[in-house]
Amino acid sequence: MATREELSEFLASVERRAYKQALFAVRDESHALDIVQEAMMKIAENYGDRPAAELPLLFTRILQNAIHDFFRRSKVRSTWVTLFSALTDENEPDADPLDILGPTGDARTESSETRYEREQIVAIIEEEVAKLPARQRQAFLLRYWEDLDTAETAAVMGCSEGSVKTHCSRATSALARALKGRGITL
Amino acid sequence: MNQDEFAFRVRQALNEGAERLDYKTVLRLEQARAAALARQRRASPATVRLPALQLAPAGAPPLASGGGARWLRGLGWAAPLLALAIGFVAIGHWQKEAEIRRLAALDFAVLLDDGPLEAYADRGFGALLQAERRIEP
């Protein structure tokens, strides 16, 4: 069973990422905070007696459900329609980010950052992540930010592992393309 | 750069962004965490089944577990009932013996009396005895 200290440490370690994920999804700071608080409450109330090792995946699922519930409650159907329509990306779904980024992007970022510039870049990346279609963003963040494997991501998203791979690939391509369009190469 | 490398760099940027949240947001998150911790579900304590209170004879060994204990628990209920039944039987037997003794004494008294036995069947003699009994005190 997770002790109070373990649960506290766990929540402290994930709360900022959770807030950002909620913010990317709902694009409203107040609602994002409410969603994170709701997820924290749920995991503490319903799963506070579970082993600490189970908390990360449980919290991820609860948070994703809380985000879904927010949209359900808000009845933002049109938003979902727009986002889902973007899943069928007509622009080269199999495009390789290598081609878009170019071979020299890596070195440029590593060598020429000032703090201000870096903050600007981070802000732009966050903007572009937020602009990704919902399912692509969800797959990308779960897989690469939350460190879930493909099977866990598929379970959280309620889709097949193949779909997760497709979403991640398209998200990476779209993100690389968008960043390159704004003069940023990673 | 492959997809994983690209994702790793995006991840680094996202981590940086998450670390630079404004004070107000960080405070709200801390408050939310504290509120959640206050409502943490605790594991329910394991249910312990205690044996029912029962009488045991002096010097009896401690109750064994398992089948022996079950047998002794059964005896704990049966023994008082058995004692009660034995008590009723003994009381009934004692009352019967007392009645026999009383009738025997009566018969003995009648047989030793000087009066004829027919006198006891006479209604007038019975009335005389009752009248004498009323006068005697």
Side-chain angles (χ1 to χ4, degrees):
Chain A
M1 181 194 131
T3 63
R4 185 186 165 85
E5 289 70 31
E6 283 173 330
L7 182 61
S8 178
E9 278 177 25
F10 166 72
L11 291 178
S13 71
V14 297
E15 64 190 16
R16 291 175 182 232
R17 291 204 309 274
Y19 166 73
K20 281 288 187 179
Q21 281 201 52
L23 187 60
F24 289 147
V26 303
R27 299 171 193 191
D28 180 281
E29 292 182 1
S30 178
H31 288 318
L33 283 167
D34 289 343
I35 287 169
V36 174
Q37 179 164 357
E38 183 186 333
M40 284 180 169
M41 288 287 189
K42 277 187 181 168
I43 197 168
E45 281 180 349
N46 301 329
Y47 303 99
D49 56 350
R50 301 290 279 269
E54 292 182 17
L55 296 180
L57 192 55
L58 281 170
F59 185 73
T60 301
R61 289 186 183 205
I62 292 170
L63 180 69
Q64 298 302 320
N65 287 339
I67 292 170
H68 279 279
D69 287 345
F70 169 82
F71 282 111
R72 209 172 293 140
R73 282 197 298 267
S74 304
K75 298 181 179 176
V76 190
R77 302 296 178 199
S78 59
T79 305
W80 279 108
V81 170
T82 306
L83 295 173
F84 276 118
S85 68
L87 290 177
T88 52
D89 187 0
E90 70 283 3
N91 296 326
E92 303 174 50
D94 297 326
D96 187 352
L98 269 172
D99 302 336
I100 300 166
L101 287 173
T104 58
D106 205 355
R108 268 181 55 185
T109 310
E110 292 299 316
S111 63
S112 64
E113 296 296 341
T114 64
R115 181 176 176 81
Y116 176 76
E117 283 173 342
R118 189 153 184 83
E119 284 179 7
Q120 294 301 307
I121 290 171
V122 167
I124 290 170
I125 289 172
E126 287 183 342
E127 271 179 41
E128 295 303 330
V129 167
K131 285 180 189 170
L132 286 173
R135 297 288 279 178
Q136 289 182 23
R137 183 181 59 245
Q138 189 182 16
F140 183 86
L141 294 179
L142 290 175
R143 184 80 182 83
Y144 295 116
W145 206 17
E146 294 299 328
D147 268 343
L148 301 189
D149 61 30
T150 308
E152 289 170 336
T153 306
V156 171
M157 292 180 65
C159 63
S160 68
E161 293 185 34
S163 296
V164 169
K165 288 175 184 169
T166 304
H167 288 318
C168 285
S169 174
R170 288 180 178 175
T172 309
S173 299
L175 203 51
R177 194 164 47 246
L179 292 175
K180 186 171 175 64
R182 297 182 70 167
I184 296 171
T185 50
L186 297 180
Chain B
M1 190 192 310
N2 62 26
Q3 181 173 315
D4 286 344
E5 274 182 76
F6 176 80
F8 178 72
R9 290 188 182 161
V10 172
R11 172 199 171 110
Q12 284 181 316
L14 293 174
N15 281 338
E16 270 192 55
E19 287 304 313
R20 282 209 302 265
L21 292 179
D22 61 90
Y23 173 75
K24 195 175 155 189
T25 304
V26 172
L27 192 64
R28 271 279 317 262
L29 289 172
E30 284 177 3
Q31 288 170 345
R33 192 193 333 146
L37 288 171
R39 294 164 74 166
Q40 182 182 6
R41 176 181 179 157
R42 293 285 170 192
S44 53
T47 305
V48 178
R49 188 185 174 90
L50 294 173
L53 184 65
Q54 53 189 274
L55 297 174
L63 291 180
S65 60
R70 196 175 303 119
W71 184 83
L72 285 172
R73 272 199 296 276
L75 186 64
W77 283 104
L81 294 175
L82 187 64
L84 195 63
I86 290 171
F88 280 131
V89 170
I91 290 169
H93 182 73
W94 176 79
Q95 281 184 331
K96 193 180 286 182
E97 287 292 318
E99 181 68 11
I100 289 169
R101 279 196 298 274
R102 192 179 69 81
L103 291 174
L106 187 63
D107 289 346
F108 194 62
V110 168
L111 289 172
L112 289 179
D113 194 26
D114 294 335
L117 285 174
E118 291 77 16
Y120 291 100
D122 185 71
R123 186 168 293 177
F125 182 66
L128 175 68
L129 289 177
Q130 285 180 349
E132 282 181 353
R133 196 176 292 165
R134 278 198 295 269
I135 294 167
E136 276 176 6

